[in-house]
Amino acid sequence: MTINPTNWTRSYSKSAYIDPFYRPNLHILTDSPVARIVFSGTKATSVEYGQDRHTVNVAKEVIVSAGPIGSPSTLMRSGVGPKDVLDAAGVSTVVELPGVGQHLQDHLASGVVFTTEAETAGSVNANTTNTYSTTPEFLSYVNPAIAYANTADLVGDAASFRDEVMARLDTSAAQVPSSDSSVIAGFKAVYTASAEKLLTTTSGQMELLLALNSPGAITVQAALQRPFSHGRLYINSSNPFDPPVIDPAYMANPADLTMLREGLKLARKIGQTEPLNSIITGEQSPGANITTDDQWDDWILDNLHTEFHPSCSCSMLPKDLGGVVDAHLKVYGLDNVRVIDSSVFPIEWAAHMMAPTYGLAEQAADIIKAQYSSSGSGGSGSSGSGGSSGSGNNHSGSLPRLSTSSTFAAIGLSLALMGFSLVL
């Protein structure tokens, strides 16, 4: 959450990127979920939305920004996705794209709860006679501290842990919920990159959060940042308003349980160390009786929860690795559809998802502006069959970097964060 320090109000995509601007050609419809994109061949021609199936025509292209759950669902409802899923749901295939809905990753967390008699934000909030609890400064409070621990902080010998993780590569690949060779190859590529390129670096693997928002308690949370367990989501009906089926495959890989266990041990150690220890009166959960690795593992499996940071379900990967979008965010095989949201990241971020998604949207605004500035005619080109390079057919070289000060860039960023399909 971002706070505007000038007035202690929440700053978010709408207040930062839409409210300050006026565009008579921008129409934002609420309570109007997208039903599907309508195609002529591989070109999007219109978008259906709402229970009454209203239609808006497409002049240039469609930007799907419905998030890591909504975007793959929208593509599948529109006939773009794994053919076996589309056939089972009764949806006609427009483009077979096996990676849609695959590679789903999420942040998992739990926490060590300590008791305290010290004043905390939670106790201030619970004290109705304390006038400070109603001030804008206090009500803007989120959490007092966040830190990130790397692999060595958690397990000691990062190289040995990496080797253990890599030894499970083939076993883990056999659990991928797809028989498509490109999806399996993509899983192996992401898995190997996570293990070989990130595990032995100083990059954060575990988020530690100090939470003081419950009266009489201090919680040190641990949150796994880059899971080796990948899930998927898929549709099971042609009704666009039925929710998708989500199989997150949490803790399918034992490395994730090991990492979270060691993160919680570190959380306990923080609570037992000065200066925090001086205001703690005991451990409420999981309790001092949880000491062995097996006890920790059993407790974690009963007490973990999502941080609601899903991503990667429309991954930007080469098509032959189960990718869904290319380096310019165009959906493989379609002429004029992009996905712009956190579903396109191929590897989960060691961060809350707001900032990475803002950055993605800013880049996307530059890419789109550059395309239409250079083409003149406004044609959107095609990403065609995609190939393995990960770039669209009508682009070459490095990604364009233009100023994002224009109104279009601002609007594009905001819509990319608000779960919309934007029709140009």
Side-chain angles (χ1 to χ4, degrees), residues 7 24 39 94 103 146 163 185 273 391 399 416:
N7 57 11
F39 293 94
V94 175
H103 304 301
I146 296 176
D163 293 343
T273 303
S391 61
L399 297 182

Side-chain angles (χ1 to χ4, degrees), residues 39-377:
F39 293 94
S40 176
T42 56
K43 182 178 181 179
T45 57
S46 62
V47 174
E48 292 181 356
Y49 66 93
Q51 295 286 346
D52 297 330
R53 300 295 187 95
H54 300 289
T55 300
V56 58
N57 293 328
V58 177
K60 293 181 180 178
E61 63 179 70
V62 174
I63 299 172
V64 180
S65 296
I69 306 301
S71 287
S73 300
T74 297
L75 290 178
M76 286 186 271
R77 303 281 187 213
S78 307
V80 180
K83 191 175 187 305
D84 59 338
V85 170
L86 302 182
D87 289 346
V91 176
S92 298
T93 300
V94 175
V95 169
E96 182 177 2
L97 206 53
V100 175
Q102 294 283 344
H103 304 301
L104 180 65
Q105 298 162 54
D106 195 8
H107 290 159
L108 291 180
S110 193
V112 179
V113 182
F114 301 98
T115 56
T116 184
E117 296 178 358
E119 182 179 76
T120 65
S123 62
V124 171
N125 186 57
N127 184 357
T128 57
T129 63
N130 189 331
T131 58
Y132 181 64
S133 67
T134 61
T135 63
E137 292 85 352
F138 179 80
L139 294 177
S140 70
Y141 169 85
V142 183
N143 272 317
I146 296 176
Y148 288 86
N150 61 41
T151 308
D153 295 327
L154 299 170
V155 300
D157 189 342
S160 294
F161 185 71
R162 174 203 59 202
D163 293 343
E164 293 175 13
V165 170
M166 286 303 300
R168 287 192 288 265
L169 173 60
D170 291 335
T171 302
S172 300
Q175 297 176 326
V176 172
S178 174
S179 60
D180 184 83
S181 60
S182 69
V183 173
I184 296 171
F187 171 84
K188 288 185 174 182
V190 171
Y191 187 103
T192 300
S194 296
E196 299 283 7
K197 302 294 186 182
L198 298 172
L199 267 185
T200 56
T201 70
T202 57
S203 174
Q205 300 291 334
M206 189 68 55
E207 181 184 41
L208 298 169
L209 303 95
L210 182 64
L212 306 177
N213 46 14
S214 295
I218 294 174
T219 301
V220 183
Q221 293 180 320
L224 179 69
Q225 296 299 286
R226 294 195 178 97
F228 287 95
S229 305
H230 295 186
R232 72 154 176 163
L233 65 94
Y234 59 96
I235 61 171
N236 63 352
S237 82
S238 59
N239 184 342
F241 307 112
D242 285 345
V245 179
I246 303 173
D247 176 10
Y250 292 150
M251 295 296 163
N253 190 302
D256 294 346
L257 185 55
T258 298
M259 294 281 276
L260 187 53
R261 178 214 308 145
E262 298 307 314
L264 288 166
K265 287 181 183 179
L266 182 56
R268 172 183 276 176
K269 184 177 180 180
I270 291 171
Q272 295 173 340
T273 303
E274 293 287 357
L276 191 57
N277 182 50
S278 63
I279 60 171
I280 283 175
T281 58
E283 182 180 313
Q284 177 177 312
S285 178
N289 61 313
I290 302 297
T291 58
T292 69
D293 286 353
D294 287 343
Q295 288 173 330
W296 270 111
D297 292 349
D298 290 342
W299 184 86
I300 289 169
L301 293 175
D302 288 335
N303 291 276
L304 62 82
H305 58 84
T306 174
E307 284 196 313
F308 300 99
H309 295 167
S311 66
C312 310
S313 53
C314 292
S315 286
M316 181 190 292
L317 288 168
K319 188 171 183 290
D320 59 7
L321 293 181
V324 176
V325 301
D326 65 18
H328 292 81
L329 302 164
K330 287 189 173 182
V331 177
Y332 289 119
L334 300 179
D335 295 348
N336 58 337
V337 177
R338 300 183 207 253
V339 178
I340 305 176
D341 56 38
S342 61
S343 69
V344 306
F345 301 133
I347 297 178
E348 182 77 293
W349 286 80
H352 287 230
M353 298 308 293
M354 179 182 68
T357 308
Y358 276 37
L360 168 73
E362 291 274 11
Q363 288 278 357
D366 287 353
I367 291 169
I368 294 169
K369 289 188 301 174
Q371 175 174 323
Y372 292 108
S373 297
S374 62
S375 66
S377 63

Side-chain angles (χ1 to χ4, degrees), residues 4 11-23 26 405-407 410-411 414:
N4 183 338
S11 175
Y12 58 104
S13 58
K14 179 178 179 292
S15 64
Y17 289 97
I18 287 184
D19 291 348
F21 300 93
Y22 171 72
R23 277 184 70 115
L26 173 65
S405 61
S406 74
T407 304
I411 297 300
S414 189

